[in-house]
Amino acid sequence: MKSIKLAVIAGLAELCASQAFAEDTMGTMSMMKGGQVTAIMPDGHMGTMTPDAKMGADMMKMAKPIKHCMMMMTDAKGKAYMIDTSTKKAQAECEKMAM
């Protein structure tokens, strides 16, 4: 009986610790590697791939360079939104967040 209680307490402690570590990593950002493609879906999930040379060249024909900092966010239901950062104030906030 004591071992079951101990196992339950250890499991709850591990669950709490894993949530704390997950929250710590939420603010970190990393740069994309050269040739990497990231897709963001309307429901907020993301995918990343590194295409082969031919596919990458075909995608670059459709690509446009990013002119300023961009921000995405999700609502409480998980739907993804792109924030308009075309004003100087919004660009400053975006750049501050990205630092």
Side-chain angles (χ1 to χ4, degrees), residues 1 4 10 24 36 39-40 42 52 55 58 65 68 75 80 86 89:
M1 189 69 165
I4 293 172
D24 285 345
Q36 191 174 37
I40 302 171
D52 61 23
M55 185 180 205
D58 290 341
H68 53 79
D75 63 9
S86 59
K89 182 179 177 183

Side-chain angles (χ1 to χ4, degrees), residues 67-69 71 84-97:
K67 295 180 181 176
H68 53 79
C69 184
M71 291 194 304
D84 179 14
T85 56
S86 59
T87 66
K88 288 196 180 284
K89 182 179 177 183
Q91 287 178 27
E93 282 296 315
C94 185
E95 290 170 4
K96 185 170 69 172
M97 184 189 309

Side-chain angles (χ1 to χ4, degrees), residues 6-39:
L6 185 59
V8 170
I9 291 171
L12 288 173
E14 182 180 343
L15 179 63
C16 291
S18 67
Q19 291 296 322
F21 287 126
E23 288 175 6
D24 285 345
T25 61
M26 288 301 287
T28 61
M29 302 234 352
S30 61
M31 290 181 59
M32 293 173 63
K33 296 174 181 68
Q36 191 174 37
V37 177
T38 301

Side-chain angles (χ1 to χ4, degrees), residues 38-47 72-82:
T38 301
I40 302 171
M41 298 300 290
D43 67 358
H45 81 271
M46 296 172 39
M72 309 283 182
M73 71 177 292
T74 55
D75 63 9
K77 296 177 183 176
K79 186 172 181 178
Y81 294 86
M82 188 167 96

